[in-house]
Amino acid sequence: MYVLDSSAFIHDFHTTEQTATIPLVREELEDESAYRYDAMEGSGMHIHIPNDDTTEKVERAARESGDLDVLSETDVRLVAASFELDATLVTDDYAMQNVAEKLNVAVEVIAREGIDEQRHWQYQCQGCGREFDEEKDRCPICGSELARKNPS
């Protein structure tokens, strides 16, 4: 089974496998991509609403990897739906791919190349330059804002 992100509808993803998505994806779509969603729903695409426990598990994994601040509620719930359905997540979003990989959820990309490696983001103080593994509101040393930094 494939769980479809909005990019699957935008790029007209086709498969003979069963498909599923979440209601929030429909709200992100316009024009032809919205019609594709409606047509697929009418032809049997499963609409899934992940439970709160799974959604919290995905949020924890995203917090640990440093991706939570760039994921929307739709993104988190799509990863949760893929996890619950033991399905392949179809998305081009790198942060979603990173969290999915952390949770051992298979991913298929559409229009971009997929991620090469899982990343654990670091945070760097914009004032004193210190680096932290965990996201904080402010630097505990000087009080400046932190910015997400690629760990490589």
Side-chain angles (χ1 to χ4, degrees), residues 37-145:
Y37 179 104
D38 294 341
M40 289 181 73
E41 182 180 11
S43 65
M45 177 175 64
H46 176 68
I47 306 299
H48 185 76
I49 299 173
N51 71 51
D52 292 339
D53 290 342
T54 307
T55 301
E56 288 173 18
K57 180 177 185 157
V58 171
E59 287 172 346
R60 277 193 306 276
R63 191 174 297 109
E64 289 171 8
S65 70
D67 292 301
L68 186 59
D69 60 332
V70 297
L71 292 176
S72 68
E73 178 185 354
T74 303
D75 298 339
V76 169
R77 291 185 179 277
L78 278 163
V79 175
S82 301
F83 184 85
E84 284 183 358
L85 297 171
D86 194 24
T88 299
L89 176 61
V90 179
T91 185
D92 282 336
D93 185 288
Y94 292 136
M96 289 174 67
Q97 292 175 42
N98 200 41
V99 175
E101 187 168 310
K102 185 171 182 59
L103 294 167
N104 296 316
V105 171
V107 175
E108 185 167 321
V109 295
I110 305 164
R112 298 185 189 180
E113 292 183 25
I115 62 171
D116 294 329
E117 63 188 32
Q118 184 179 358
R119 291 193 177 157
H120 179 81
W121 294 98
Q122 293 180 327
Y123 297 89
Q124 185 171 27
C125 175
Q126 298 300 291
C128 67
R130 286 190 171 84
E131 294 181 1
F132 303 92
D133 288 334
E134 295 177 1
E135 183 177 13
K136 303 174 187 319
D137 290 332
R138 298 249 173 226
C139 174
I141 309 301
C142 74
S144 297
E145 289 186 23

